[in-house]
Each structure stands twice: as C-alpha cells, then as structure tokens.
C-alpha cells in the first residue's frame, strides 16, 4: 500500500510534528527547572552552556533513535511514500557506508550535534556577550533554537533511516 502524498510532503509533515513535540518538551523542562531563578548564567555546572551541550546531544540522540525506528518500521510495512536513493546525493552516499544500526546512527547524530551545533551556539552567544538569561528569555531562546535545529536536520535523519537496506536474516 503506497500513500498518495509525496516523500517531500511526508518530510514536511514529520518536520512540523517533530518541531512541535521537541519544542514543547524542551521548553517545558527548561521552564520547570528554572522558573524560580532570577537569572540563568552561562557559567558553572548549572549554567546554560552546559545545558546547551547536554540538550544538543540528548535531543539528537533520542529524536534520531525514535524517528529512524518509526520510519524503518513504516518502510517495512509499506506505509511510506516512495523514497528514491540517489547515487549523486552526498548524504545518501555517506549513509550507505555507515552501519545499519539505528543505535549507532543515533549516537552519530548526537555526537554531531554535540561537536557542531552546541559549540556554534555557545560561541555565537559568547560573541554577542550574552552571559545570562531570565528564565522566560532562556525558555523562548531554547524553543527557537530547538525548532531551528530539528527543522534543519529532520530530512537527513529520515533519509538516514531509509538508505540502508534491511539486513537479510539467515
């Protein structure tokens, strides 16, 4: 059974769902943890720098694990629109060389976010001289940050789940 919508339409729908879910979860957690504070400093083990690094890894590790598992199951059940693997697409080539394991791929996405998105974010905040947030300002910042990152990586995560064929069982 093939769905009537295109793969691009599917990715857009999934992106909206993933953005909304992840923004709600992250904003709720950050608000509940910080709502009684006067300010949230960049420094220290409870500072927002540490939070950004932890969130980057956990967000992408958990989201990738869930999204890839769901998409592999949907693909196996023939519930996804047709997805074309392109030998010209650099991401497709890269994912084709990686292990099949959703756990390994999710760990890779988590490490990528930890090593790329987190330092970039902390660096930009430092360059603008931002060393503290009010709880509401940090909650809003974190919501936008999560939305942008999830939206930017959604297609790549879905494609990573679908590139490798299912290993044959002996």
């Amino acid at each position: 059974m093939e769905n009537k919508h295109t793969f691009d339409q599917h990715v857009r729908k999934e992106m909206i769902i993933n953005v909304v879910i992840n923004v709600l979860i992250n904003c709720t957690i950050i608000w509940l943890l910080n709502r009684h504070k006067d300010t949230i400093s960049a420094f220290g083990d409870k500072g927002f720098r540490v939070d950004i690094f932890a969130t980057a890894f956990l967000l992408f590790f958990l989201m990738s694990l869930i999204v890839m598992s769901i998409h592999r199951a949907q693909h196996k059940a023939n519930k996804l629109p047709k997805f074309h693997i392109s030998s010209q697409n650099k991401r497709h080539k890269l994912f084709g060389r990686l292990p099949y394991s959703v756990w390994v791929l999710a760990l890779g996405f988590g490490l990528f976010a930890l090593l790329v998105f987190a330092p970039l974010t902390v660096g930009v905040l430092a360059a603008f001289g931002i060393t503290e947030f009010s709880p509401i300002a940090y909650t809003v910042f974190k919501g936008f940050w999560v939305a942008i990152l999830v939206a930017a990586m959604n297609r790549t995560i879905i494609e990573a789940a679908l590139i490798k064929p299912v290993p044959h069982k002996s």
Side-chain angles (χ1 to χ4, degrees):
M1 171 189 168
E2 190 171 320
N3 289 332
K4 293 182 175 139
H5 61 286
T6 67
F7 188 74
D8 286 342
Q9 290 169 328
H10 172 76
V11 168
R12 276 191 294 278
K13 180 188 88 165
E14 289 293 312
M15 180 187 62
I16 292 166
I17 292 168
N18 287 332
V19 165
V20 169
I21 288 170
N22 282 292
V23 166
L24 288 174
I25 290 170
N26 276 279
C27 287
T28 300
I29 291 169
I30 208 65
W31 177 251
L32 292 174
L33 290 174
N34 295 296
R35 70 182 185 267
H36 297 300
K37 294 180 180 177
D38 291 330
T39 61
I40 303 161
S41 172
F43 310 105
D45 62 347
K46 294 183 181 181
F48 68 75
R49 288 180 178 175
V50 171
D51 178 64
I52 287 171
F53 277 88
T55 300
F57 177 78
L58 290 172
L59 172 68
F60 279 92
F61 176 72
L62 295 172
M63 181 183 67
S64 298
L65 194 61
I66 293 165
V67 168
M68 288 190 296
S69 296
I70 289 169
H71 278 80
R72 283 195 176 163
Q74 287 177 337
H75 180 70
K76 186 177 179 181
N78 246 357
K79 293 184 177 180
L80 286 178
K82 189 73 174 155
F83 169 65
H84 301 284
I85 298 172
S86 170
S87 61
Q88 306 305 313
N89 185 308
K90 291 179 184 179
R91 284 188 327 264
H92 293 189
K93 285 181 186 178
L94 172 66
F95 294 141
R97 293 185 190 119
L98 296 176
Y100 176 77
S101 170
V102 170
W103 288 92
V104 171
L105 292 172
L107 180 61
F109 279 117
L111 290 173
F112 177 80
L114 179 71
L115 298 172
V116 176
F117 294 140
L120 183 62
T121 303
V122 168
V124 168
L125 291 172
F128 281 103
I130 299 171
T131 59
E132 62 182 33
F133 282 102
S134 69
I136 191 69
Y138 189 58
T139 302
V140 170
F141 165 78
K142 193 95 175 274
F144 279 110
W145 182 72
V146 165
I148 290 166
L149 295 183
V150 170
M153 291 298 294
N154 189 67
R155 181 181 200 94
T156 300
I157 291 167
I158 292 171
E159 287 181 358
L162 303 176
I163 296 297
K164 297 283 273 198
V166 177
H168 296 292
K169 294 187 179 183
S170 304

